[in-house]
Amino acid sequence: MGTKVLSWYRGILGAGCFSVLIYSALAAGKHSDLVEVTSVNPNIEISLPYATKNNFCNKVLYPVERCFLRRSVVERLDRVQKDLEKEGYGLKIWDGYRPHSVQYKMWSINPGTNYVANPRRGSRHNRGAAVDLTLIDIETKKVIKMPTAYDVFSLRAHAHYPRLPKEILRNRKRLQDAMVKHGFQIMRSEWWHFDARGWSQYPLMNHQLDDHAREAVAAKPAENPIPKAEEAPASAPTNAPADPPNPGEEEGQPLPEPTPRAPQI
């Protein structure tokens, strides 16, 4: 849609209606290349804290515990998993594609920080091009020791924080090396967060996880039961305006000193 056409719509509809129009288009944006991770590699473990109350928001944010990402991103993770299995390790995913409306919920609880992306710009998770994960022992399925637990907002969680035991430094490096080898970028402020190279080519999306899960069930009813989360989240804002993507923005930035964990509210 050209600049002149956008200006015409803005003049006819007014700023408020124009924002609703844009956000509605975002909600209906292309999602056909979102793929469930376990449909490509069932050996990748999925455990989504945002489908439970065990997260920094202390609320259920996802109605189903299903992990989707862009097809090209899932294919890269498949290669990472296969490489790690040769060394006795595997991947455990904590978050993948995140509807844009969920970003507004997170921001309302923990606004103005360097750890939660402003929903007006959007998160790379909202594009289906970012993944939060860790390493597990492929035999026992136990999580390998890492610098912090998931979503601990502190200096210790930064991807290159040095003052850690040697074992943990080796584990973190093993994960980082495997991900970078197969086309991922390291998020400096979160050791668990990786962006797929080329993430900016994907638009922000607001396709809901339970809708996508139902579509997967319709395609393969015998293979895709929908695990229910603890409770359905409250309705998210559907008329919030979305700014154009800004590929130059970092989702998280290192802070000069440790900051406390986000409030549990």
Side-chain angles (χ1 to χ4, degrees):
M1 194 178 290
T3 303
K4 291 183 178 179
V5 177
L6 286 174
S7 298
W8 181 81
Y9 270 115
R10 191 178 286 111
I12 294 295
L13 297 173
C17 292
F18 183 76
S19 296
V20 172
L21 175 65
I22 294 300
Y23 198 77
S24 297
L26 172 67
K30 180 181 177 184
H31 62 271
S32 59
D33 64 339
L34 279 180
V35 176
E36 186 161 16
V37 172
T38 53
S39 71
V40 174
N41 193 323
N43 291 337
I44 297 177
E45 293 284 311
I46 307 296
S47 179
L48 308 183
Y50 298 140
T52 74
K53 292 182 179 179
N54 186 27
N55 56 67
F56 79 92
C57 295
N58 217 21
K59 294 182 178 181
V60 176
L61 298 172
Y62 296 164
V64 294
E65 192 169 31
R66 302 280 286 272
C67 184
F68 299 89
L69 288 162
R70 300 286 184 175
R71 180 175 293 279
S72 65
V73 181
V74 174
E75 290 170 351
R76 296 182 214 186
L77 288 175
D78 176 50
R79 294 193 289 271
V80 174
Q81 174 75 16
K82 288 173 179 175
D83 269 6
L84 288 171
E85 286 178 355
K86 298 172 186 176
E87 304 174 13
Y89 299 96
L91 296 174
K92 182 173 188 174
I93 294 179
W94 286 321
D95 198 21
Y97 164 64
R98 178 191 305 156
H100 195 210
S101 54
V102 174
Q103 199 69 30
Y104 277 92
K105 294 181 182 181
M106 291 180 170
W107 185 257
S108 70
I109 292 171
N110 195 22
T113 73
N114 287 346
Y115 292 99
V116 177
N118 188 324
R120 292 184 62 82
R121 293 195 307 267
S123 165
R124 293 159 199 181
H125 284 287
N126 306 148
R127 303 170 188 269
V131 62
D132 296 343
L133 44 65
T134 190
L135 289 178
I136 61 170
D137 183 292
I138 198 64
E139 296 296 332
T140 66
K141 307 300 183 186
K142 291 183 178 180
V143 173
I144 301 301
K145 290 182 179 179
M146 287 292 181
T148 68
Y150 181 49
D151 270 357
V152 171
F153 304 137
S154 73
L155 195 64
R156 187 182 175 93
H158 289 187
H160 303 292
Y161 181 74
R163 296 195 293 273
L164 297 166
K166 290 183 179 180
E167 177 189 3
I168 292 177
L169 290 172
R170 284 195 301 268
N171 293 341
R172 186 182 68 187
K173 186 176 187 301
R174 178 178 285 110
L175 175 62
Q176 291 174 343
D177 288 350
M179 295 294 285
V180 170
K181 176 183 176 181
H182 291 289
F184 289 89
Q185 298 171 315
I186 297 169
M187 171 61 70
R188 289 177 292 173
S189 56
E190 299 171 351
W191 65 261
W192 57 80
H193 178 118
F194 296 86
D195 297 315
R197 292 189 182 276
W199 59 266
S200 61
Q201 69 181 290
Y202 300 115
L204 300 171
M205 294 185 296
N206 195 41
H207 193 61
Q208 299 304 303
L209 287 172
D210 49 348
D211 289 341
H212 204 76
R214 275 190 289 270
E215 291 170 11
V217 169
K220 294 184 178 180
E223 299 177 16
N224 291 278
I226 303 178
K228 297 293 183 181
E230 292 177 8
E231 62 184 52
S235 298
T238 57
N239 61 348
D243 286 339
N246 186 348
E249 287 289 340
E250 288 287 341
E251 181 176 354
Q253 295 286 347
L255 298 180
E257 59 185 35
T259 54
R261 186 177 175 84
Q264 299 293 299
I265 58 175

